[in-house]
């Protein structure tokens, strides 16, 4: 909730306690510049969060101590933890999707985190809106057209007038939520052919979502792809396995890397 400078003051005060740090993994909220050749590598890019747009996060850390840093997004960090030590440790290709305050995905393909001109923004994948859903959407860029705009925690709260956690007993909430998440998963399945999909984040603590999502994903694929993985939906779409420590555990693994 603080701006970049004040947050980094606290981060640095914490690490100042330790003299023997070899490397640090940083998994920051995005969007961030992760292209090493870029002039703004290590910066936080345009964001509505106060005092963060254009902030040289990595530069501040390097000025403090010039050690190796692995710099990536929060979802890439969490996904990397599931890939190296969690639910997906036995596969080479996976999608980690977090559904919470925002929505994002860390994608591993051929054992590597997927990135191109920057990091993916898979939470903003476009969806077909349910005909009876009149909600205007929460995404400032895509309204009710993208997954984050339709299905992030704040979208649930705004649409139904209560926090997700207080709606656990309302089946219509989770039917709709599962439909949107399953639509997005169908897109990921068709695009990157993951061997496993892991779902984390605050909204996914609603465990009743999992059977609904699996059922709808199967319906949307509609027999077009037939694999052993997809035939075993129980083990294909699974909850995060690291007790909400996947972010920090991913940073540790990325620092080791
Ligand atoms: Zn969007």
């Amino acid at each position: 909730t603080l701006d970049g400078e004040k947050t980094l003051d606290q981060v640095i005060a914490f690490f100042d306690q330790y003299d023997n740090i070899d490397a640090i993994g940083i998994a920051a909220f995005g969007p961030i510049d992760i292209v090493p050749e870029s002039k703004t590598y290590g910066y936080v890019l345009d964001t509505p969060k106060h005092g963060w747009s254009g902030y040289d996060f990595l530069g501040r850390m390097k000025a403090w101590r010039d050690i190796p840093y692995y710099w990536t997004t929060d979802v890439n960090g969490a996904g990397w933890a599931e890939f190296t030590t969690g639910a997906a440790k036995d596969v080479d290709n996976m999608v980690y999707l977090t559904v919470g305050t925002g929505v994002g995905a860390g994608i591993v393909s051929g054992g590597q985190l997927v990135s191109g001109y920057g990091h993916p923004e898979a939470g903003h994948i476009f969806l077909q809106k349910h005909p009876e859903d009149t909600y205007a959407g929460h995404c400032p860029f895509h309204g009710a057209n993208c997954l984050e705009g339709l299905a992030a925690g704040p979208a649930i709260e705004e649409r139904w007038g209560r926090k997700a956690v207080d709606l656990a007993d309302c089946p219509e909430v989770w039917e709709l939520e599962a439909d949107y998440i399953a639509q997005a998963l169908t897109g990921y399945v068709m695009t990157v052919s993951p061997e496993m999909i892991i779902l984390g984040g605050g909204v996914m603590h609603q465990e009743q979502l999992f059977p609904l999502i699996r059922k709808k994903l199967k319906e949307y694929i509609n027999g077009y792809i037939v694999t052993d993985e997809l035939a075993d939906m129980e083990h294909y779409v699974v909850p995060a396995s690291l007790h909400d420590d996947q972010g920090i555990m991913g940073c540790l693994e990325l620092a080791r890397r």
Side-chain angles (χ1 to χ4, degrees):
T1 57
L2 301 174
D3 64 23
E5 198 65 17
K6 290 199 185 88
T7 303
L8 269 286
D9 286 345
Q10 295 187 2
V11 168
I12 285 168
F14 172 79
F15 283 114
D16 260 336
Q17 303 171 84
Y18 306 98
D19 294 326
N20 56 343
I21 300 170
D22 295 320
I24 293 181
I26 305 173
F29 67 81
I32 60 175
D33 188 339
I34 62 164
V35 180
E37 301 78 31
S38 164
K39 280 199 297 250
T40 52
Y41 175 66
Y43 283 54
V44 177
L45 301 176
D46 278 342
T47 169
K49 293 183 174 73
H50 174 71
W52 284 98
S53 287
Y55 185 69
D56 185 6
F57 190 133
L58 188 57
R60 175 87 198 277
M61 294 302 293
K62 281 185 170 161
W64 165 72
R65 225 179 264 185
D66 195 13
I67 55 174
Y69 294 91
Y70 196 105
W71 166 249
T72 192
T73 60
D74 45 7
V75 279
N76 274 351
W80 193 251
E82 291 288 353
F83 176 67
T84 51
T85 64
K89 65 179 188 301
D90 296 326
V91 302
D92 288 328
N93 306 282
M94 60 126 236
V95 171
Y96 172 84
L97 182 75
T98 182
V99 186
T101 315
V103 182
I107 300 166
V108 175
S109 182
Q112 301 293 327
L113 284 165
V114 169
S115 67
Y117 52 79
H119 53 80
E121 286 286 359
H124 294 267
I125 190 170
F126 273 42
L127 303 182
Q128 194 165 47
K129 198 177 177 189
H130 193 281
E132 283 163 32
D133 184 11
T134 56
Y135 176 54
H138 192 264
C139 179
F141 296 92
H142 313 122
N145 288 314
C146 78
L147 176 63
E148 180 168 304
L150 286 166
I156 297 174
E157 187 176 346
E158 231 172 52
R159 180 190 290 108
W160 302 98
R162 277 185 287 163
K163 283 190 182 300
V165 68
D166 299 324
L167 293 160
D169 298 331
C170 306
E172 66 278 18
V173 172
W174 307 109
E175 281 286 338
L176 186 65
E177 183 73 7
D179 182 81
Y180 289 144
I181 293 171
Q183 285 191 48
L185 299 193
T186 305
Y188 309 146
V189 167
M190 301 299 180
T191 313
V192 293
S193 54
E195 294 166 90
M196 184 179 271
I197 295 173
I198 297 160
L199 303 177
V203 171
M204 296 315 305
H205 290 159
Q206 300 293 326
E207 287 173 11
Q208 69 272 28
L209 275 171
F210 282 88
L212 299 172
I213 291 168
R214 291 178 187 124
K215 182 166 166 274
K216 283 178 188 281
L217 175 59
K218 201 170 171 200
E219 281 171 23
Y220 286 137
I221 292 172
N222 198 24
Y224 183 64
I225 301 173
V226 180
T227 69
D228 291 346
E229 290 86 356
L230 287 169
D232 185 11
M233 274 288 166
E234 291 280 313
H235 296 104
Y236 188 65
V237 177
V238 299
S241 65
L242 300 170
H243 313 289
D244 289 337
D245 284 336
Q246 51 269 34
I248 200 159
M249 289 176 70
C251 287
L252 183 63
E253 291 303 322
L254 289 168
R256 281 203 179 106
R257 206 179 176 207

